[in-house]
Amino acid sequence: MANEEEQKPKKKPSTGFNILSGDSTDGHGGYGVGTINLDNVSPVIIDPTTDEIYVDVGALHARSALEKRKKLVKTREEVPDGHTAWIVWVTLQRSEEGPFYYGIGACEFFLNAEAKRAWKSMPEHVNNMDKSMKGKVIVDHMDDKSKKMLREYLIEFDKDVYERSSDDVKLGLQD
């Protein structure tokens, strides 16, 4: 009996979340229809206090280095002596000329690393990611230093991609 149990293949636990690449609306009507394609979205982490800026795809699942090992609390006031960092959803698209920055959605992440506490508004993250994917530029609430860091990072990453971007993207990131 024990031998039979050992021979049965073990089922892998389901993560409960699927990101499907490709076009989920290609007409087949089956599994995956209506899912969101996140292939062109990159989360850029900006911490103006430490002057750090980097892409961290872990943020797509709330598992960025910034978010790990911190207890998320319900209100900003529960984070003692916190500071603002940003998770910025940057969407790229491609035209005949080449890729360009299509949309940007900045979201506040308030944290105190020493206290291991952090706060973020999940509705803001979901809505601003969606707006970024729809070509909107949501950066008005960012501080000037963080906007400048983002602009310089995007230009340094690829100046041509930045140059092909819309005026909305360029104006949004101006000082």
Side-chain angles (χ1 to χ4, degrees):
M1 183 73 105
N3 229 0
E4 289 176 26
E5 288 178 18
E6 289 174 13
Q7 292 176 354
K8 288 183 183 177
K10 292 186 179 180
K11 261 186 139 176
K12 290 184 181 180
S14 171
T15 61
F17 185 77
N18 292 308
I19 296 177
L20 303 175
S21 58
D23 186 4
S24 65
T25 59
D26 65 0
H28 66 77
Y31 180 76
V33 168
T35 60
I36 296 172
N37 184 340
L38 300 176
D39 289 349
N40 297 333
V41 178
S42 296
V44 177
I45 309 298
I46 303 172
D47 192 335
T49 304
T50 61
D51 292 324
E52 290 181 285
I53 184 167
Y54 53 92
V55 172
D56 190 338
V57 293
L60 290 169
H61 302 286
R63 297 276 184 232
S64 68
L66 190 67
E67 296 167 287
K68 282 184 180 176
R69 293 181 285 286
K70 291 177 189 67
K71 178 180 175 155
L72 280 179
V73 294
K74 293 181 187 222
T75 66
R76 201 173 192 271
E77 290 72 31
E78 294 177 69
V79 181
D81 302 317
H83 73 274
T84 296
W86 301 93
I87 299 176
V88 183
W89 306 104
V90 179
T91 304
L92 280 95
Q93 288 290 346
R94 181 171 288 282
S95 69
E96 289 179 11
E97 293 83 35
F100 61 95
Y101 299 116
Y102 179 65
I104 301 173
C107 305
E108 183 181 17
F109 188 81
F110 195 71
L111 74 146
N112 180 327
E114 291 78 34
K116 296 184 179 180
R117 299 257 189 254
W119 170 85
K120 69 178 181 178
S121 167
M122 281 303 293
E124 178 188 43
H125 280 260
V126 171
N127 290 332
N128 286 355
M129 178 195 283
D130 180 61
K131 288 175 182 176
S132 172
M133 291 168 46
K134 292 177 178 174
K136 306 292 184 209
V137 179
I138 313 296
V139 294
D140 292 344
H141 58 300
M142 291 179 77
D143 59 281
D144 290 338
K145 179 180 180 181
S146 297
K147 272 202 268 192
K148 181 180 180 186
M149 288 173 67
L150 179 59
R151 181 180 68 246
E152 290 174 357
Y153 182 79
L154 295 177
I155 291 170
E156 185 179 310
F157 177 76
D158 192 321
K159 187 175 182 173
D160 292 334
V161 172
Y162 184 80
E163 291 302 321
R164 283 188 290 270
S165 299
S166 72
D167 289 341
D168 287 345
V169 168
K170 293 173 189 169
L171 288 172
L173 295 176
Q174 291 302 315
D175 293 332

